[in-house]
């Protein structure tokens, strides 16, 4: 894996990908059981509150914490199980940590993220690093300024540790792609079972935070790209209401559905990260609508009794595809009832029938939004058409496993003034939102709808691509409304999650319910880095 802070054989390999063998191209999990196990990691599973308490007491500082995470990345991302989660390190990370320590010494603490190392998905502008969407075509693209959300994180005192790998172009290049693979970053592995897929497109963030490579991380989602990788990595992931977190400075797919969001090991950590990220951005077409909807502190909603008196709908239309998922969801429902909520089964009219319209919307918006981003950020390729040509000319290294069918379909679309686009946009949002999720919430007087987040992680297969079985997150994604996944159980050592879906700007209520569920179930377990299901760990988790 190439790192901006250390030139290595892997970096040279990256420049001539087709002629090299190694982690940049090889999707096969490595079973290096003969390597020495790394020493126990002092901050494994540590939450933000614990780390802040340790920094306040002087037991650690941001310098030693940041150095510890960098060493952890070297020990198990570059070596050991070779997770392939981090695509680039911030060369200024230690400098940022030292600056936060100097502020703390001077009596200035910016908030709960002060001095906390954070990883960002590699489709978010963050200086001085590359922003590539995992593509070798943008491997030299260094934006001149931070994304709006990154500026907010820095203002909150976070240390930007680096960038995480992703499904190339956020899984919007090919109809037969492999999640967690990019031509620049190679294949990210699932830290629970290494030959299993980490899901995508925020694969690197999911794996990195599950494996304690940073305290918290930022993913992005168009439809499932936070919820799915968080669920299969035993994490909490929040997909906010569209516009609550700025999209400015993020390589786009869809202006209708894109959002960044937090991925963390606890609801409390996800809430703290969301509080730092959320902000009204006048440059985001959906930003102004968030005015008045951002609380001073999401932590105020972390109440263990937040499910008491709530009315929750169960979306059984999103079940029935795997017995372990159904069993875990049944136990989750029992826990929700025991926490004082009323639970009823619900049906959503025309469930999932928005998919065809949604896909057309994404094709149109991807072309329009990507062209604008490339031109506005001074990228080395100024259009989708130019990227298609570059991929064809460099197919041996850019497309060794799958092609660019989606790119070509998007390029064939017209402008956003096309009647076909407007009809598809309105249909998708209406079916999933007004006539779907929102109508169901109102008809049954519900506080939230729950569904299993995702199937157990499937085997990574670069030849045949992904093997999705079922998921419950799509309705909120298309509606543009918030959702949050929380660990709910496991299947043969593979994590499972439960997704809570609610109304626009209902993040405070969802965070409260998710926290109460988390506290009642305590379902998260740290990864053991098994080579295969039922196998032996590559490194000791403790």
């Amino acid at each position: 894996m190439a790192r901006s802070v250390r030139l290595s054989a892997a970096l040279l390999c990256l420049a001539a990908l087709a002629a090299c063998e190694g982690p940049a191209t090889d999707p096969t999990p490595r079973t290096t059981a003969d390597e020495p196990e790394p020493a126990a990691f002092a901050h494994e599973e540590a939450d933000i509150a614990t780390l802040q308490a340790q920094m306040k007491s002087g037991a650690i500082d941001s310098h030693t914490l940041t150095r510890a995470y960098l060493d952890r990345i070297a020990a198990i991302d570059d070596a050991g199980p070779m997770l392939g989660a981090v695509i680039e390190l911030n060369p200024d990370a230690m400098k940022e940590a030292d600056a936060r320590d100097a502020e703390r010494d001077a009596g200035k603490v910016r908030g709960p993220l002060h001095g906390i190392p954070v990883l960002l998905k590699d489709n978010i502008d963050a200086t001085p690093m590359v922003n590539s969407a995992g593509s070798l075509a943008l491997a030299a693209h260094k934006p001149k300024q931070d994304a709006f959300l990154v500026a907010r994180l820095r203002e909150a005192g976070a240390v930007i540790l680096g960038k995480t790998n992703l499904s190339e172009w956020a899984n919007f290049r090919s109809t037969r792609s492999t999640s967690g693979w990019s031509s620049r970053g190679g294949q990210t592995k699932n830290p629970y079972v290494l030959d299993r897929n980490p899901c995508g497109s925020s694969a690197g963030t999911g794996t990195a935070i599950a494996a304690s490579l940073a305290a918290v991380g930022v993913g992005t989602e168009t439809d499932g790209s936070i919820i799915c990788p968080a669920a299969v990595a035993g994490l909490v992931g929040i997909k906010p209401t569209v516009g609550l977190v700025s999209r400015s400075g993020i390589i786009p797919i869809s202006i209708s559905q894109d959002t960044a969001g937090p991925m963390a090991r606890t609801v409390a950590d996800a809430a703290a990260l969301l509080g730092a990220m959320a902000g009204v951005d006048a440059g985001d077409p959906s930003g102004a609508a968030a005015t008045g909807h951002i609380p001073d502190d999401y932590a105020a909603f972390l109440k263990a009794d937040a499910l008491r008196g709530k009315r929750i709908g169960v979306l059984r239309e999103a079940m029935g595809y795997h017995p372990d998922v159904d069993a875990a969801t049944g136990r989750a429902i029992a826990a929700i009832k025991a926490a004082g909520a009323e639970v009823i089964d619900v049906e959503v009219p025309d469930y999932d029938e928005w998919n065809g319209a949604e896909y057309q919307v994404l094709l149109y918006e991807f072309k329009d939004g990507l062209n604008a981003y490339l031109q506005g950020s001074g990228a080395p390729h100024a259009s989708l058409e130019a990227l298609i040509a570059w991929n064809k000319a460099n197919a041996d290294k850019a497309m060794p496993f799958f092609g660019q069918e989606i790119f070509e379909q998007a390029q064939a679309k017209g402008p956003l003034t096309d009647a076909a686009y407007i009809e598809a946009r309105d249909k998708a949002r209406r079916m999933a939102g007004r006539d779907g999720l929102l109508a169901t919430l109102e008809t049954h007087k519900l506080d939230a709808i729950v569904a299993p987040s995702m199937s157990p992680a499937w085997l990574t297969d670069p030849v045949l691509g992904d093997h999705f079985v079922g998921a419950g997150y799509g309705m909120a994604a298309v509606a543009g409304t918030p959702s949050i996944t929380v660990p709910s159980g496991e299947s043969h050592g593979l994590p499972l999650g439960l997704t809570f879906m609610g109304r626009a700007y209902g993040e405070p209520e969802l965070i409260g319910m998710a926290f109460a569920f988390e506290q009642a179930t305590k379902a998260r377990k740290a990864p053991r880095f098994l080579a295969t299901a039922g196998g032996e760990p590559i490194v000791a988790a403790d």
Side-chain angles (χ1 to χ4, degrees):
M1 187 66 61
R3 309 287 188 211
S4 65
V5 295
R6 56 185 186 277
L7 185 63
S8 66
L11 182 56
L12 298 175
C13 180
L14 183 63
L17 195 56
C20 299
E21 293 184 8
T25 58
D26 183 3
T28 305
R30 300 173 188 278
T31 53
T32 53
D34 56 334
E35 293 190 10
E37 294 182 355
F41 183 54
H43 308 296
E44 184 176 10
E45 297 287 300
D47 61 9
I48 289 173
T50 298
L51 295 173
Q52 286 294 352
Q54 291 174 342
M55 286 191 280
K56 182 177 181 179
S57 72
I60 61 171
D61 56 18
S62 184
H63 180 103
T64 57
L65 180 62
T66 301
R67 181 73 263 164
Y69 280 124
L70 292 173
D71 291 344
R72 173 78 164 175
I73 290 168
I76 69 170
D77 202 56
D78 297 341
M82 300 180 70
L83 298 174
V86 179
I87 200 169
E88 182 175 355
L89 294 174
N90 178 9
D92 294 337
M94 294 305 302
K95 185 189 304 183
E96 292 181 21
D98 290 342
R100 301 292 79 78
D101 285 337
E103 288 180 341
R104 188 182 294 272
D105 290 344
K108 178 181 180 180
V109 176
R110 299 179 183 222
L113 288 188
H114 190 100
I116 298 293
V118 177
L119 283 166
L120 309 172
K121 185 177 179 179
D122 186 39
N123 59 353
I124 302 170
D125 291 350
T127 60
M129 293 172 287
V130 167
N131 195 20
S132 71
S135 172
L136 284 172
L138 296 187
H141 173 48
K142 289 192 173 184
K144 295 180 175 60
Q145 64 183 29
D146 289 335
F148 185 96
L149 77 86
V150 176
R152 287 193 59 81
L153 289 174
R154 293 192 196 275
E155 290 168 7
V159 173
I160 306 303
L161 192 63
K163 306 286 287 291
T164 56
N165 195 28
L166 69 160
S167 310
E168 186 169 319
W169 293 109
N171 239 357
F172 208 68
R173 196 192 85 186
S174 173
T175 55
R176 37 181 301 274
S177 62
T178 299
S179 289
W181 183 89
S182 73
S183 58
R184 180 173 175 237
Q187 179 66 53
T188 299
K189 301 170 189 174
N190 187 305
Y192 288 84
V193 181
L194 300 175
D195 61 3
R196 296 276 163 168
N197 197 267
C199 199
S201 62
S202 305
T205 306
T207 290
I209 304 309
S212 295
L213 303 187
V216 288
V218 179
T220 68
E221 172 163 330
T222 304
D223 191 340
S225 287
I226 289 173
I227 300 297
C228 182
V232 303
L235 296 179
V236 175
I238 300 177
K239 186 210 78 79
T241 305
V242 169
L244 185 77
V245 175
S246 167
R247 283 86 58 79
S248 298
I250 300 177
I251 297 174
I253 291 179
S254 166
I255 195 63
S256 295
Q257 294 178 207
D258 286 352
T259 180
M263 299 172 71
R265 293 181 292 272
T266 68
V267 175
D269 283 1
L273 184 55
L274 180 62
M277 294 166 61
V280 176
D281 175 14
D284 185 320
S286 298
T291 303
H293 293 293
I294 303 173
D296 292 335
D297 187 2
Y298 285 103
F301 301 92
L302 300 171
K303 298 178 179 178
D305 64 351
L307 279 166
R308 185 173 300 152
K310 295 297 190 294
R311 187 171 165 87
I312 309 295
V314 178
L315 186 62
R316 294 197 182 272
E317 290 159 290
M319 297 171 63
Y321 55 81
H322 195 285
D324 290 353
V325 173
D326 289 350
T329 305
R331 291 190 292 271
I333 292 168
I336 291 171
K337 289 180 178 178
E342 180 183 1
V343 180
I344 66 168
D345 288 350
V346 298
E347 291 186 3
V348 174
D350 301 319
Y351 181 70
D352 255 2
E353 292 188 17
W354 52 77
N355 288 334
E358 177 199 14
Y359 186 57
Q360 294 305 309
V361 171
L362 301 190
L363 292 173
Y364 273 101
E365 293 185 348
F366 179 65
K367 178 183 178 181
D368 180 81
L370 182 62
N371 286 344
Y373 172 86
L374 294 171
Q375 293 160 19
S377 67
H381 304 282
S383 67
L384 175 59
E385 183 177 26
L387 288 168
I388 291 170
W390 189 91
N391 284 340
K392 287 180 179 177
N394 298 274
D396 55 346
K397 55 186 177 181
M399 302 190 293
F401 303 118
F402 50 85
Q404 54 179 346
E405 302 89 354
I406 295 176
F407 267 25
E408 292 164 352
Q409 291 171 20
Q411 178 59 29
K413 294 299 184 183
L416 299 189
T417 53
D418 278 3
Y421 161 72
I422 295 170
E423 180 182 1
R425 181 197 63 193
D426 294 347
K427 179 180 179 181
R429 180 60 66 91
R430 173 181 55 78
M431 292 184 71
R434 188 188 73 196
D435 296 348
L437 175 65
L438 300 179
T440 305
L441 287 166
E442 293 307 315
T443 297
H444 297 284
K445 297 180 171 51
L446 302 173
D447 295 288
I449 293 174
V450 298
S453 302
M454 190 63 205
S455 69
W458 58 91
L459 288 166
T460 295
D461 184 349
V463 177
L464 298 179
D466 286 336
H467 182 58
F468 285 99
V469 177
Y473 51 70
M475 184 165 56
V478 181
T481 50
S483 56
I484 177 168
T485 182
V486 185
S488 63
E490 63 176 47
S491 172
H492 302 281
L494 297 165
L496 300 171
L498 185 76
T499 291
F500 291 75
M501 295 173 277
R503 296 168 177 81
Y505 307 107
E507 284 83 0
E509 293 76 18
L510 289 183
I511 285 170
M513 289 182 275
F515 179 76
F517 175 74
E518 173 193 56
Q519 297 305 301
T521 58
K522 300 286 187 180
R524 172 168 168 79
K525 296 180 180 178
R528 297 182 57 220
F529 312 106
L530 302 180
T532 192
E536 294 297 321
I538 297 303
V539 302
D542 56 359

